Amino acid sequence: MVEGLVQGVGFRPFIYRLAKKHQLVGTVANRTDGVILNISGDEKRIDLFTKDIELLAPLAAEIRNVNRTYIDDFISDDFYILPSKSINDQITEISPDIAVCDKCLSDLKKQNHRINYPFVNCTNCGPRFSIIKSLPYDRVKTTMNKFKMCPVCKGEYHDVNDRRFHAQPVACNNCGPKYYKVGGSDFSLILDEVVNAIDKGGVVLIKGLGGYNLICDANNEEASLKIRDIKGREAKPLAVMFADLNVIQKYCYVNRREKELLSSWRKPIVLLREKKQLAKSVNSGLGSIGAILPYLPFHYMIFERLYTSAVIYTSANISGEPIIWKDEKASSTFENKVSFIVSHDREVENPIDDSVVKVVKSKTQIIRRARGYVPNSIALGEKVEGVFAAGAELKNSFCIGKNQSAILSQYIGDLKNLETFDFYKKVINRFFNLFKFQPKIIVCDLHPDYLSTQFSKDLVKANLNGNQIPILNVQHHHAHIVSCMAENQIKDKVLGISFDGTGYGSDGNIWGGEFLVCDTKSFERFAHFDYVKMPGGDIAAEEPWRMVLSYLHNYSLNIFKKLDCFKNIDDRKIETVNEMIQNNINTPLTSSAGRLFDAVACLLDLCSINSFDAEGPMRLESLIDESEKGSYPFSYNNKVVSFGQTLSGILEDINLVSISSISARFHNTIINVIHELVNKMKKETGINKVVLSGGVFQNRYLLENTMCKLEEDKFEIYTNRLVPPNDGGIALGQLIVASNYL
Ligand code: ZN
Ligand code: ZN
Ligand code: FE
């Protein structure tokens, strides 16, 4: 018995060929819980065969366990692949989409029927999740169903010794999908035109795997600005696709682990440190580059012809909306704004963005979990069947429980946007159908106004067939911590440090700098960052200068130096906000760590108004002088951490000390806060396990140095590796709290 992700990745044909190689007879079949093998033959050969299963398994297979038991009366004359027997044998593991493999790339040049065929694939590579309509994974249940295989492809599909044996999306120039210019000619005819347009500074819209992408030369500032204009995206960094690893190394610093990730079959966007600048507006001076390598055959085909070796490669959408995957929508949105629209006739069933990851302390941290990762399930070691977790509001992703694992949806986005909320509902519907999911309990955030909370309530009503489905609200920061506990299958109590921008607290205030003692059922708020007012509510998150005024007021700090960060803010606005603060007009309270980072970035005049989420904190982090070991004082009283002394220290340093040093000192202060509090918590509770989660821990300097400092004190430290530490991972935490409640 082989357990793990072993279906839809060419596992059975692999076993067949392996058995033949070792001269063994027997059978292989899919089952709900894995792949079952019956093998008979020489004992030594069986040993070697078992070893080879793990050594030589297909790239995208994830083997969790190989169990071996002896049976007495098994006889077979040859090796056979058995079909799945019944409905009960249905498979719920679906493979994510897999980047094109080297063998297929060489087929592009060699195989007569696949010369320059941009949809080449085999059992080891190609589209999976993005084209699946229903299970089991068979060609008729994918968007490949409308293409009738030609005799040559059919031959390959049925030949167990062929690399394309049972490769569901198998296709060739004679029978498969085709690229074409919208309103124009064949792709092969316009390939040179497309390449020319990019090299000459044009923007091209091309349908890829999970939707459309906008592409232009990454060294052309004008083109880059044009993409920003088209998307309505002012400053958020744009991903860059490089021709190969050597080119990436010209522009970025890449370590061994980052190289592995970039080249892996998942082919995510990897956030790297910038070495040499591309067009300025690509990353707006943030000092990092989101790099990705080609993953579709057509990527390789255009790089072969392009003069430039780096292109901006970004999802085609209007800022805040989901990726566009339909032709009509692509045309109506981008017509007249781009040089070309290139589409193809293989439909996208499950739209999906590129994933974004980074390496922290030589381990992967996922920032956006999508292509290549979804719908890989997360093993939990406990039954969670029937739990639907709605997720949070920003960077939403929801989660369903199947057997003992969690299946997290692809990155959905910010639900406040109407189109994105529609997309959310559509994807939920698809997941329910695809995975034959029946909700038994629904769990959502504690925030009454989150659209995901509203949706959950509606879902309860819709399912009112006599018996009421229970609904549970889970506190946001508790869910962050439990998401990390779930990944690590921790059941006992932990010290949870949950730092982020916003989350609804049990006292009705907005939390975000939280020290929790919790297990997977409940939590106790041990301590938190000081409450300060958010003048204007949510808008204070977009306009950090408001938070600066609030902190200054809160700690009675006089502005003894005229602060640069107010130079572009209207005096009357400043006056109004000050009045709001003094008279408590629309000033909800927050203990958010995100707002504190915002305010410090603003004080240093790095960002008075955020043009994208966490812009200020990201700029602050990018400036850190790592040789600076100093820090500022803070105070801790009555379970509250106060930053009055920290901020007055910063105010004293402004104009005297470099911004890089101030930034380092501030970060070191937060690390000291965590260190001191965690030690206090341990003293009171005796707990040694520390969980760090929440969007603020995407800050590499903060996370690495906090971990180092806590490791010195022999704490056991856990961080998110399989789901994002940001709100994209919340649903997993919600799911576990709900299953424990059941
Ligand atoms: Zn392949
Ligand atoms: Zn064919
Ligand atoms: Fe959060």
Side-chain angles (χ1 to χ4, degrees), residues 108-167:
L108 273 183
K109 312 228 177 254
K110 285 192 323 221
Q111 271 192 336
N112 274 334
H113 55 311
R114 292 200 180 85
I115 297 294
N116 280 338
Y117 183 58
F119 295 91
V120 61
N121 67 80
C122 69
T123 44
N124 299 318
C125 78
R128 298 288 186 274
F129 173 65
S130 61
I131 60 166
I132 290 179
K133 292 178 173 181
S134 64
L135 288 173
Y137 174 57
D138 262 324
R139 187 177 176 103
V140 288
K141 299 193 165 167
T142 71
T143 57
M144 282 299 292
N145 65 336
K146 67 174 177 186
F147 302 99
K148 198 172 175 286
M149 271 186 246
C150 72
V152 185
C153 286
K154 210 174 212 165
E156 295 168 333
Y157 183 88
H158 288 293
D159 176 4
V160 74
N161 289 312
D162 195 281
R163 220 173 73 246
R164 297 193 169 84
F165 175 70
H166 280 201

Side-chain angles (χ1 to χ4, degrees), residues 97-101 124-126 264-267 294-296 371:
D97 301 294
I98 307 168
V100 61
C101 75
N124 299 318
C125 78
S264 75
W265 62 268
R266 299 184 200 271
K267 292 277 166 83
Y295 60 88
L296 292 178
R371 180 186 50 76

